[in-house]
Amino acid sequence: MKLLIIRHADPDYSIDSLTPTGWQEAALLADRLCKMEIDAFYLSPLGRARDTASLTLQRLGRTARVLPWLREFEAPVHKPGAEGESIPWDWLPADWTAEPRYFDRHAWADTPVMAAGAVAEKYRQVTDGLDELLAQHGYRRQGELYQALRPNTDTVALFCHFGVECVLLSRLLNVSPMVLWHGACAAPASVTSLVTEERRPGVAYFRMGAFGDTGHLYAVGRQPSFSARFCEMYSLEDQRH
């Protein structure tokens, strides 16, 4: 089984849709996906993900199922030294790396900051939804692995968001989401691919073959949009700090 986790194209958050650049990215993404045999499509309920998927679905004459837990990961927290509430997956490196538990996939949500924001409960909602979906496609979670109840070579596409993508990957790869949230960056309209590996009968593990692939943009000479990234050097005034 192959999973395609697709981040929405360049967003216009003010209207929960896409920028003009985002619509162009979504069209190039559709060019790529329409050449693949995809057996099922699942969408975040948010407009920017649904709009990104719409061009592919229209061209293929397909429909998709909306899954509430694929929406962007939202569990507001009060970060030390910051005013008000904010998302739990965007911290300054010096702040989150100072807490060893954030590197531990079993303990990352047990810190006072995360506990006060009920982050673990939100995390479980997403991972429970993922496990249920995979079970419907023949792979049932058992411990750290998956039982291959109905092994198959189906391809399943999930259109969602960077924050929740890292939650999905943390479950599939058994790592702390904090490491993925802060150590990886999936550009808009990018495709992350995982394939089951069944080296013993009935026992499967998802192995990531590509993360945040934007080859469909580079193929036509386009650079990925900057959304979700921060400055490469602090002296670069035109980049986010």
Side-chain angles (χ1 to χ4, degrees):
M1 177 184 179
K2 177 181 285 187
L3 282 179
L4 304 177
I5 304 177
I6 303 163
R7 187 187 174 200
H8 59 76
D10 191 47
D12 183 337
Y13 291 112
S14 67
I15 58 173
D16 189 23
S17 184
L18 306 178
T19 65
T21 295
W23 283 108
Q24 294 172 2
E25 292 173 342
L28 293 170
L29 175 65
D31 290 341
R32 173 180 182 168
L33 298 179
C34 286
K35 297 174 184 176
M36 304 175 65
E37 293 185 6
I38 299 178
D39 298 278
F41 293 87
Y42 298 97
L43 307 181
S44 157
L46 299 183
R48 52 194 183 272
R50 298 178 70 165
D51 286 346
T52 299
S54 67
L55 301 187
T56 299
L57 296 173
Q58 289 170 8
R59 286 178 54 178
L60 292 174
R62 300 284 296 278
T63 59
R65 179 180 164 195
V66 175
L67 300 174
W69 50 267
L70 276 180
R71 67 178 296 118
E72 186 55 291
F73 189 79
E74 297 176 356
V77 298
H78 289 277
K79 298 171 189 171
E83 295 183 4
E85 292 183 330
S86 59
I87 55 178
W89 45 272
D90 179 14
W91 295 47
L92 290 173
D95 293 341
W96 79 267
T97 57
E99 171 53 75
R101 283 177 288 183
Y102 287 139
F103 293 92
D104 186 334
R105 72 183 183 91
H106 297 294
W108 69 273
D110 294 337
T111 65
V113 172
M114 294 296 190
V119 177
E121 179 181 354
K122 179 65 175 180
Y123 180 85
R124 281 193 297 271
Q125 290 175 5
V126 176
T127 58
D128 286 351
L130 174 63
D131 288 346
E132 181 180 350
L133 179 65
L134 293 176
Q136 294 171 9
H137 284 276
Y139 294 86
R140 185 171 64 195
R141 182 85 179 192
Q142 185 176 50
E144 315 299 339
L145 303 167
Y146 289 85
Q147 288 182 294
L149 302 179
R150 298 187 306 279
N152 61 76
T153 57
D154 292 351
T155 297
V156 173
L158 310 176
F159 286 81
C160 56
H161 314 262
F162 173 66
V164 75
E165 174 177 349
C166 290
V167 173
L168 302 177
L169 291 175
S170 76
R171 180 63 167 171
L172 294 168
L173 304 178
N174 297 312
V175 298
S176 165
M178 289 291 283
V179 175
L180 296 169
W181 281 331
H182 300 93
C185 182
S190 64
V191 180
T192 295
S193 305
L194 301 100
V195 180
T196 50
E197 187 174 76
E198 191 180 352
R199 298 174 63 178
R200 289 179 176 171
V203 180
Y205 193 82
F206 283 87
R207 193 163 189 174
M208 185 163 59
F211 174 82
D213 181 18
T214 52
H216 49 288
L217 303 181
Y218 284 112
V220 296
R222 294 187 67 97
Q223 292 285 334
S225 298
F226 197 78
S227 179
R229 287 181 284 169
F230 292 89
C231 57
E232 184 175 358
M233 298 188 303
Y234 195 82
S235 60
L236 296 175
E237 298 296 335
D238 61 340
Q239 294 185 0
R240 294 192 304 158
H241 295 76

